[in-house]
Amino acid sequence: MDGYETANIVSGTVHGNVVQAHTFVQAPAPPAGAPRQIRPSSGAFVNRGVELAALTAALERTDPLRPSVVALTGLGGVGKTEVVARWAEQNAGDFPGGQLYADLTTVRHQGGVDLGEVLGGFLRALGVHRDFVPERLPERAALFRTVTSAGGLLVFLDNVEHASEVRALLPTAGLVVVTGRARLPGLALAGATLLDVEPLLPEAGSDLVRSWLGPGRGTDDQLHDLVRLCGGLPLALQAVGSELLTRGGLPVERVVAELTDEGGRLAAIEHREGSVVEPFEAVYAHFPAHTRRLYHLLGVHPGWHLTPELAEAAGVERADEALGDLVRAHLLRPVAGETPDPEERYRTHDLVRLHARRHARTDPGRHELLRRIVAYYRGRAAVADRAVLGDRLRLQEPPEESLPGFADPVGAMAWLQVERADLLAVLTAAAEQGWHGEVWRLCESLWPLYHGRKHYGDWIASHLLGVEAAQWDNRPDAGIRMRNQLARAHYELGQYPAAAEQLAAATELLALVDDPRLAGVLVETEGLLCLADGRPERAVELFTRAREANAGDPHGVVVQSYQLGQALIAAGREAAALAVLEEATALAEETRDRSMLVKLPLVRGRALRALGRPEEAVRLVSSAADRAAARDELVKEAQARELLAELADELGDAELAGSARARLRDLRARAGVLGG
């Protein structure tokens, strides 16, 4: 069932009979080990004194009540990110609150940026427990302003296209550095400093190349020609310098001749992004066949990251050697520390991807490469789904046994999270190719990621494609699944009419399928909508039907009994709720359903409280709190401790009330949100 894993969001209103969290307004102390998300600088560095000075001046202007903003704009590959990385290293001590980084390219879909996802990542990095991150953008922005009120923070927003993207991500205090390709005059109106980062002049570029080669290699004129042929872009100079100038001691004169080959095409290079990639051509020409194949994979891949595992799945021979070639040529760089998985991940500059795509377009095997990429992500996501959620209703076939697994659910969820942007990009590419079966299957496997981590923008975008794919694949069962999962996203966002619209469309498909569990998932979601809409008796009917639809599936019966119990309490039928919940508890204990054994006592405790049996409720809720603590489920434990404190007040037990509230304060401190 889609509702097997219940969300633990407590900011805003939580629908159904659960404890509603308070609005936390006090900023937490910076977490131990403040985030340091800006990558280290790399290589030599020349001729950026103006930019470094502008950043330092902006730091000196920071105000306790408002952030200072600097925007660096210029061509791709001109070195904007390197400038910021170098300056952040030099001034790390000025940011005790940490350094945050977001590449908006990875959260930009159809021209818009999922700002809520960026804020969610920032909040988690600053120590806010993921279960306490609000669902909606306004609440996330408000909490971000709260937790950044102490200042001492550097926020780096890379690849910004519009000033509005920056305004929504401003902290209360600190320094915000923005990079992009187009000037952002809208930021100047808000007092930001705007600075253009120009390509390196021949003299400065020559100094950079000499820092790699050492003295005695090439005349001034030859080096100046080399810089001009590379458009003054450090990225292009790095590629040429690493792969050509240092290989076998090639003379600079020969390198310049190679770059000016092909009828003087490169000699006429202009400062446009369509042409500045051409210096990579000479590097590519010297690659062996297996490295070219990996480079083509880089050009075909819809996402941003490569791993040895993906390269092997795509059929690249000698993948490790090829990765080494691209790293040495500065066409790939390692991205470490994003996941507990020991496998290295690599990323490239988008100009390199542009050049790789030019070559990939001429590769007759490009469609097969893309198909293998899609199959890899679809299969790996299916393995991760099963590792996180175990047995649940799935329409697709089990993944191939040859696919690598995960050590535990934590590692599987970490993989889904770190590959999130690539997964959506791959899914979108599969939809464009008309590979409909791959699209809805991948959507189905992404349920633990989207439902567990609340990436609502990705969730809705992917499932709109999933709905269409199921229609084209003539799979009404998949259509029901896609629409129900889409409805759940709208439900959690409070968009109840949109959720009801998806449910109505899915219900029309029920006559075309035989599996009664598909009807069950729909009536469960409809029941949640009825509870949110103040119609508990109708919810009771629906959850009863959902429980019947899950006959033979113990976990499904327990989940729907849990939902039914909440609906009965909301309808004022506490005795009936208690009977249902006690029966569900016995089944959960018999089947060792640990997640539900944490949730059931809370609802049973509320039923006992309403029936005037607070002493029994205390015993149940105390047990629920201890179970949640053992599983490190902060939200569930907080809910239990809060209810325990209220019960203790009613019983006049000041010691119990005090200990419960003390534990609540500890939990909120751990979660990164204080107050109450």
Side-chain angles (χ1 to χ4, degrees):
M1 299 288 292
D2 291 340
Y4 277 12
E5 295 296 320
T6 303
N8 285 331
I9 297 298
V10 298
S11 59
T13 300
V14 181
H15 300 286
N17 287 270
V18 295
V19 176
Q20 182 172 326
H22 293 294
T23 300
F24 305 118
V25 295
Q26 180 181 344
R36 290 288 184 268
Q37 295 183 338
I38 300 175
R39 69 164 176 80
S41 63
S42 57
F45 193 82
V46 296
N47 198 38
R48 295 304 187 198
V50 172
E51 292 84 353
L52 296 174
L55 291 168
T56 300
L59 174 62
E60 294 171 351
R61 292 195 304 271
T62 54
D63 185 291
L65 300 178
R66 61 179 298 175
S68 182
V69 182
V70 179
L72 306 179
T73 55
L75 287 171
V78 79
K80 303 181 294 294
T81 301
E82 184 66 21
V83 168
V84 181
R86 174 59 63 95
W87 185 85
E89 280 182 346
Q90 294 173 345
N91 297 273
D94 292 310
F95 301 104
Q99 301 175 358
L100 299 175
Y101 173 80
D103 180 357
L104 300 196
T105 300
T106 64
V107 289
R108 180 172 284 111
H109 313 306
Q110 298 179 342
V113 170
D114 188 350
L115 299 173
E117 171 55 29
V118 177
L119 285 171
F122 283 173
L123 289 169
R124 291 188 293 272
L126 291 171
V128 177
H129 190 278
R130 63 173 182 267
D131 291 341
F132 285 80
V133 174
E135 296 177 13
R136 298 172 179 83
L137 175 61
E139 287 83 2
R140 289 188 177 189
L143 183 57
F144 182 60
R145 290 191 294 271
T146 298
V147 301
T148 59
S149 59
L153 180 71
L154 172 61
V155 179
F156 179 13
L157 304 176
D158 207 0
N159 290 310
V160 170
E161 292 184 0
H162 307 288
S164 59
E165 298 169 352
V166 177
R167 297 190 193 101
L169 301 173
L170 292 177
T172 295
L175 176 63
V176 179
V177 181
V178 176
T179 63
R181 299 187 182 179
R183 285 182 64 85
L184 302 167
L187 290 180
L189 299 176
T193 299
L194 305 186
L195 191 64
D196 291 328
V197 180
E198 301 292 345
L200 294 175
L201 295 174
E203 294 77 10
S206 297
D207 291 342
L208 182 63
V209 176
R210 281 199 178 95
S211 72
W212 302 326
L213 300 181
R217 295 280 302 278
T219 66
D220 288 346
D221 288 343
Q222 290 169 347
L223 292 175
H224 290 180
D225 286 342
L226 180 64
V227 173
R228 282 192 291 268
L229 288 166
C230 290
L233 300 181
L235 178 67
L237 285 168
Q238 272 192 321
V240 171
S242 297
E243 186 65 15
L244 294 176
L245 300 180
T246 63
R247 192 187 72 240
L250 288 176
V252 175
E253 182 179 10
R254 177 177 166 184
V255 175
V256 171
E258 288 189 20
L259 288 173
T260 54
D261 205 357
E262 301 183 25
R265 171 170 54 89
L266 297 178
I269 190 170
E270 297 177 3
H271 298 332
R272 296 195 308 268
E273 292 180 17
S275 57
V276 295
V277 298
E278 297 299 349
F280 305 132
E281 189 65 29
V283 180
Y284 173 85
H286 290 273
F287 283 151
H290 57 276
T291 304
R292 291 190 185 190
R293 184 64 171 170
L294 183 63
Y295 198 62
H296 293 185
L297 174 64
L298 184 65
V300 170
H301 186 16
W304 291 268
H305 296 91
L306 280 181
T307 64
E309 190 176 278
L310 173 59
E312 182 177 347
V316 177
E317 297 180 358
R318 301 164 64 182
D320 288 341
E321 294 180 26
L323 282 166
D325 289 342
L326 295 184
V327 170
R328 282 188 294 274
H330 294 276
L331 300 179
L332 280 179
R333 62 177 179 84
V335 181
E338 294 181 335
T339 171
D341 192 322
E343 183 179 44
E344 189 70 87
R345 302 174 77 244
Y346 299 87
R347 180 163 180 175
T348 189
H349 194 280
D350 54 359
L351 287 184
V352 177
R353 283 176 13 117
L354 177 62
H355 181 253
R357 283 174 179 169
R358 287 187 177 185
H359 280 281
R361 281 197 295 267
T362 65
D363 188 332
R366 63 188 181 279
H367 291 297
E368 178 60 23
L369 269 179
L370 180 58
R371 187 175 290 279
R372 290 189 176 203
I373 292 170
V374 172
Y376 166 78
Y377 276 99
R378 191 259 301 152
R380 196 82 158 99
V383 173
D385 171 25
R386 290 173 183 270
V388 174
L389 295 185
D391 291 334
R392 69 180 183 103
L393 171 62
R394 293 181 178 88
L395 302 179
Q396 62 184 289
E397 311 78 6
E400 297 178 6
E401 294 183 0
S402 60
L403 286 166
F406 295 93
D408 51 43
V410 174
M413 182 61 85
W415 183 87
L416 288 168
Q417 176 69 18
V418 79
E419 294 284 359
R420 179 191 59 80
D422 292 68
L423 284 162
L424 181 58
V426 167
L427 188 148
T428 302
E432 291 171 352
Q433 293 294 323
W435 298 338
H436 308 302
E438 299 281 55
V439 172
W440 70 257
R441 286 177 173 84
L442 181 50
C443 277
E444 184 181 45
S445 296
L446 294 179
W447 172 255
L449 171 65
Y450 293 154
H451 191 249
R453 294 294 182 266
K454 310 305 177 187
H455 302 299
Y456 290 110
D458 290 10
W459 188 344
I460 292 172
S462 63
H463 280 69
L464 287 172
L465 295 174
V467 166
E468 184 177 359
Q471 292 173 335
W472 281 105
D473 207 28
N474 194 26
R475 288 291 300 263
D477 54 346
I480 292 170
R481 196 64 186 277
M482 295 297 98
R483 288 190 182 276
N484 186 68
Q485 292 186 179
L486 182 55
R488 291 296 288 269
H490 288 304
Y491 160 75
E492 292 190 13
L493 288 170
Q495 300 167 352
Y496 303 134
E501 180 182 348
Q502 291 299 328
L503 285 181
T507 301
E508 293 179 359
L509 299 173
L510 285 175
L512 304 176
V513 301
D514 298 324
D515 192 334
R517 294 176 298 173
L518 291 170
V521 301
L522 297 184
V523 295
E524 178 193 18
T525 303
E526 186 181 353
L528 292 171
L529 287 173
C530 288
L531 269 182
D533 199 30
R535 294 180 288 154
E537 289 292 356
R538 175 60 177 160
V540 168
E541 296 176 17
L542 292 166
F543 290 134
T544 300
R545 287 171 51 193
R547 185 174 61 168
E548 293 170 352
N550 279 272
D553 181 347
H555 182 66
V557 171
V558 171
V559 169
Q560 300 312 319
S561 298
Y562 169 81
Q563 305 283 28
L564 176 58
Q566 297 197 88
L568 286 166
I569 294 173
R573 298 161 59 184
E574 291 85 0
L578 191 59
V580 167
L581 294 166
E582 287 176 347
E583 183 180 347
T585 300
L587 180 57
E589 289 174 344
E590 179 184 343
T591 57
R592 299 182 180 181
D593 195 335
R594 294 181 178 85
S595 65
M596 295 308 298
L597 286 172
V598 173
K599 299 169 185 176
L600 284 164
L602 276 176
V603 187
R604 290 173 64 197
R606 294 187 193 106
L608 288 167
R609 180 187 188 185
L611 290 168
R613 298 157 61 181
E615 294 87 354
E616 295 177 64
V618 165
R619 288 194 294 272
L620 270 177
V621 175
S622 296
S623 174
D626 292 342
R627 285 178 186 260
R631 291 171 58 90
D632 199 31
E633 295 186 9
L634 270 63
V635 170
K636 284 299 175 188
E637 185 183 354
Q639 291 173 351
R641 301 293 180 190
E642 188 162 357
L643 179 56
L644 196 59
E646 294 173 1
L647 289 166
D649 288 339
E650 293 175 10
L651 292 169
D653 189 336
E655 182 179 355
L656 177 59
S659 64
R661 290 192 169 97
R663 177 60 179 166
L664 267 175
R665 287 191 293 273
D666 291 341
L667 287 171
R668 289 165 180 165
R670 281 185 61 197
V673 283
L674 302 182

